[in-house]
Amino acid sequence: KAGVTQTPRYLIKTRGQQVTLSCSPISGHRSVSWYQQTPGQGLQFLFEYFSETQRNKGNFPGRFSGRQFSNSRSEMNVSTLELGDSALYLCASSLSTGQIGVGTDTQYFGPGTRLTVL
Amino acid sequence: AQKITQTQPGMFVQEKEAVTLDCTYDTSDQSYGLFWYKQPSSGEMIFLIYQGSYDEQNATEGRYSLNFQKARKSANLVISASQLGDSAMYFCAMRDDTGGFKTIFGAGTRLFVKA
């Protein structure tokens, strides 16, 4: 079974631009989560989608948005890029049956997209 | 409130020896899941092992085992027979009912395996 894929793997943008990152989950997984990882802040949760609905959102400004398509693929968008948005953006998928503590909420991560904002 | 604490920023271990990476968690929920991930320098997060709050036995996956002490709220990762390829960052994570569909991560422990 193919793993989680993310495109592009590397991206260089300038301040003020916008960027769209893509994530394809493991086949059969309907939950997709996004995380931002920086050396200073560690791994921070951005948002989670399930069946095209956002179920939870982290503490990020409205410049960060996402969506999920009917085939479970997800995109996240960052508008008006700032230098501080430079980070590794990780996507993860899970079965997420809604039951916590039974293992179906195990998340599998993609290789990440490394975004550099100049 | 949900919280994951990893108190060891960095650790060294000799090749072929066992090492324990510490993790404590805080939750008021009865249902929760605990995870360990490995992140090599390439950046990809690799799932290692899972422990559910209702599991009575400690989880094991090959050379990885999870020392789950529910009353102490600790979920330490034990790596047996360390290999050079085990050098990486290791993250402890948790998902509980209160947090909804959000997994929180600890700050991580960087493991160095010496030849």
Side-chain angles (χ1 to χ4, degrees):
Chain A
K1 191 180 264 193
V4 179
T5 58
Q6 290 187 247
T7 56
R9 294 291 311 278
Y10 302 90
L11 209 48
I12 299 175
K13 292 284 187 179
T14 56
R15 278 182 300 173
Q17 287 187 309
Q18 77 164 18
V19 67
T20 299
L21 312 182
S22 180
C23 172
S24 292
I26 291 170
S27 177
H29 285 190
R30 295 164 67 188
S31 166
V32 173
S33 298
W34 288 90
Y35 297 86
Q36 181 196 65
Q37 186 177 27
T38 59
Q41 299 296 319
L43 268 156
Q44 292 189 285
F45 171 78
L46 280 157
F47 26 66
E48 191 263 3
Y49 288 88
F50 182 87
S51 292
E52 302 178 68
T53 300
Q54 187 182 86
R55 293 197 297 192
N56 207 339
K57 189 178 190 306
N59 295 324
F60 278 82
R63 301 186 296 108
F64 291 81
S65 62
R67 59 178 176 168
Q68 187 180 34
F69 302 96
S70 58
N71 61 358
S72 294
R73 190 178 69 86
S74 176
E75 288 181 348
M76 68 162 279
N77 184 276
V78 188
S79 62
T80 320
L81 283 166
E82 300 177 359
L83 295 179
D85 297 333
S86 293
L88 178 66
Y89 289 88
L90 292 162
C91 163
S93 75
S94 71
L95 282 170
S96 189
T97 59
Q99 293 179 283
I100 302 292
V102 297
T104 53
D105 46 346
T106 298
Q107 294 184 302
Y108 297 89
F109 284 79
T113 294
R114 193 167 293 279
L115 172 66
T116 301
V117 182
L118 303 175
Chain B
Q2 286 180 304
K3 190 175 181 182
I4 292 282
T5 303
Q6 293 180 256
T7 57
Q8 306 154 312
M11 286 197 67
F12 287 87
V13 65
Q14 198 67 37
E15 192 179 12
K16 297 180 186 175
E17 291 186 350
V19 63
T20 298
L21 306 184
D22 294 341
C23 172
T24 58
Y25 61 92
D26 190 17
T27 177
S28 54
D29 290 348
Q30 297 301 309
S31 297
Y32 52 89
L34 297 159
F35 312 85
W36 277 92
Y37 290 89
K38 171 185 177 182
Q39 188 177 42
S41 56
S42 62
E44 185 166 359
M45 295 283 281
I46 302 167
F47 167 69
L48 295 178
I49 197 166
Y50 168 84
Q51 181 85 42
S53 56
Y54 297 111
D55 294 340
E56 296 186 351
Q57 304 229 345
N58 287 340
T60 60
E61 289 286 350
R63 294 187 298 111
Y64 305 106
S65 60
L66 200 153
N67 185 358
F68 181 45
Q69 297 187 41
K70 197 169 182 176
R72 297 181 60 188
K73 293 189 175 178
S74 78
N76 298 338
L77 177 70
V78 180
I79 305 175
S80 63
S82 297
Q83 301 171 357
L84 295 179
D86 293 335
S87 293
M89 279 291 283
Y90 289 82
F91 292 94
C92 180
M94 178 178 72
R95 181 176 263 203
D96 65 9
D97 279 331
T98 300
F101 305 99
K102 177 173 72 172
T103 302
I104 62 163
F105 288 80
T109 295
R110 184 167 293 281
L111 179 66
F112 300 92
V113 181
K114 300 182 290 185

